[in-house]
Amino acid sequence: MGGSSTAEPPVGIDEFLERVRAGYERIEPRDAYEAFQGGEALLVDIRYAALRERDGLIPGALVVERNELEWRLDPQGSHRAPEATSHDLRVVVICNEGYASSLAVETLRRLGLRRATDLVGGFQAWRAAGLPVTLEAGPPPAPRAVHAPDHRLSPKPEAR
């Protein structure tokens, strides 16, 4: 009584990662920095606390532990971060070296965050590119406002 299975055979993590990354365009550190500075992208640091303490923070990035990411960035979620304003939000997920962030992007895109991407090389590539990093202790700086295009909303008429 063998029966046939319609499930796909298991794949290794390397092949799975390759498949995930084929579904979107990743972003280089300098391009992510420019998009962030221009208010066009929200940087989201998912590294765990020990790495942030050891290597520092990206000033203005939203720090969200990986196990909370989907709940904090779902614009429809009851536990969303104030920055998670729209499914059109351009989110750049940053992990330490650019592997876990790719897997995180997969779930964010399944939640409808169609512009989610991750940083090629992660935080280590950001730092190697000479982009801003702070080693200051204490809470990270507040994230910058990001302007997500929302074509469904039209301006309200002025009150007279």
Side-chain angles (χ1 to χ4, degrees), residues 17 21 24 26 93-103 118-124:
L17 193 59
R21 288 176 174 168
Y24 67 95
R26 301 178 77 208
V93 182
I94 303 166
C95 67
N96 195 47
E97 294 181 347
Y99 296 98
S101 57
S102 295
L103 300 178
D118 71 317
L119 190 67
V120 174
F123 179 86
Q124 297 305 324

Side-chain angles (χ1 to χ4, degrees), residues 4-159:
S4 64
S5 173
T6 58
E8 290 186 32
V11 298
I13 187 61
D14 294 328
E15 183 177 339
F16 181 72
L17 193 59
E18 188 177 310
R19 288 180 187 182
V20 165
R21 288 176 174 168
Y24 67 95
E25 188 174 333
R26 301 178 77 208
I27 191 168
E28 296 289 335
R30 178 84 36 209
D31 295 331
Y33 176 72
E34 289 171 6
F36 172 66
Q37 287 295 334
E40 299 168 12
L42 175 66
L43 303 181
V44 180
D45 186 343
I46 63 169
R47 294 174 302 139
Y48 53 89
L51 288 176
R52 295 191 313 266
E53 290 168 9
R54 182 189 78 189
D55 294 338
L57 299 165
I58 295 171
L62 177 64
V63 174
V64 178
E65 295 286 337
R66 173 62 189 99
N67 63 331
E68 297 178 358
L69 183 68
E70 292 80 3
W71 284 268
R72 304 290 287 147
L73 292 184
D74 178 4
Q76 298 175 339
S78 58
H79 299 313
R80 74 173 182 84
E83 296 83 6
T85 56
S86 165
H87 284 98
D88 289 329
L89 184 65
R90 185 175 185 196
V91 174
V92 178
V93 182
I94 303 166
C95 67
N96 195 47
E97 294 181 347
Y99 296 98
S101 57
S102 295
L103 300 178
V105 166
E106 170 74 3
T107 58
L108 292 177
R109 286 179 159 258
R110 287 183 180 207
L111 286 174
L113 291 155
R114 63 178 182 76
R115 298 179 70 209
T117 188
D118 71 317
L119 190 67
V120 174
F123 179 86
Q124 297 305 324
W126 176 279
R127 185 170 64 178
L131 296 170
V133 172
T134 180
L135 296 174
E136 295 176 11
R144 292 167 111 45
V146 178
H147 311 289
D150 192 345
H151 307 290
R152 297 169 299 189
L153 300 178
S154 59
K156 293 181 181 178
E158 292 184 17

